[in-house]
Amino acid sequence: MKFLFRLHDVIKIPGKAFEDLSLEEVAWMIEADTSISPDGNEYFAGCALDEFLHNTELKRRDLKELQEVILDNIYIDVEGSREKRINTEYLIALASELKYQ
């Protein structure tokens, strides 16, 4: 089942939509992900990254490319299982890198 959230519930920065985010704000969104921070943060709800990755069609080229890179690297195989898990180490490193771009 696909859940769609209202942007004002997901993004806590007044007047911002995913398309408007700076790279530093994307880093804050990554840090708010429930795999890292169960309750989100002051800028984003914990579900914001999931909404950004799976339910948002971006027009801005830099964000679209970033979205694709994250989708290619966010999930890793669980040894001895067919399931995958979120690669939190990757997300933390990416958030740190984005803050300094």
Side-chain angles (χ1 to χ4, degrees), residues 36-74:
I36 298 169
S37 176
D39 297 321
N41 61 27
E42 63 188 280
Y43 306 108
F44 295 93
C47 62
L49 181 61
D50 189 54
E51 185 72 11
F52 174 80
L53 294 175
H54 301 290
N55 296 323
T56 304
E57 188 173 322
L58 296 164
K59 293 180 179 140
R60 236 177 76 195
R61 189 168 154 215
D62 62 335
L63 290 180
K64 186 168 183 58
E65 289 173 0
L66 181 59
Q67 183 185 50
E68 291 170 1
V69 167
I70 294 171
L71 283 169
D72 286 344
N73 294 286
I74 191 171

Side-chain angles (χ1 to χ4, degrees), residues 5-99:
F5 300 93
R6 293 188 315 264
L7 287 181
H8 68 273
D9 293 335
V10 175
I11 301 173
K12 300 176 186 178
I13 305 168
K16 288 278 186 166
F18 287 119
E19 200 76 37
D20 305 322
L21 298 178
S22 68
L23 294 181
E24 182 177 23
E25 290 166 336
V26 172
W28 298 340
M29 178 176 57
I30 291 169
E31 292 174 340
D33 188 66
T34 55
S35 66
I36 298 169
S37 176
D39 297 321
N41 61 27
E42 63 188 280
Y43 306 108
F44 295 93
C47 62
L49 181 61
D50 189 54
E51 185 72 11
F52 174 80
L53 294 175
H54 301 290
N55 296 323
T56 304
E57 188 173 322
L58 296 164
K59 293 180 179 140
R60 236 177 76 195
R61 189 168 154 215
D62 62 335
L63 290 180
K64 186 168 183 58
E65 289 173 0
L66 181 59
Q67 183 185 50
E68 291 170 1
V69 167
I70 294 171
L71 283 169
D72 286 344
N73 294 286
I74 191 171
Y75 301 108
I76 55 177
D77 294 326
V78 174
E79 194 172 322
S81 173
R82 285 198 236 173
E83 296 192 19
K84 294 184 180 274
R85 71 172 178 82
I86 293 176
N87 186 347
T88 54
E89 295 83 12
Y90 166 75
L91 289 178
I92 292 167
L94 179 61
S96 180
E97 180 184 322
L98 289 173
K99 285 181 182 178

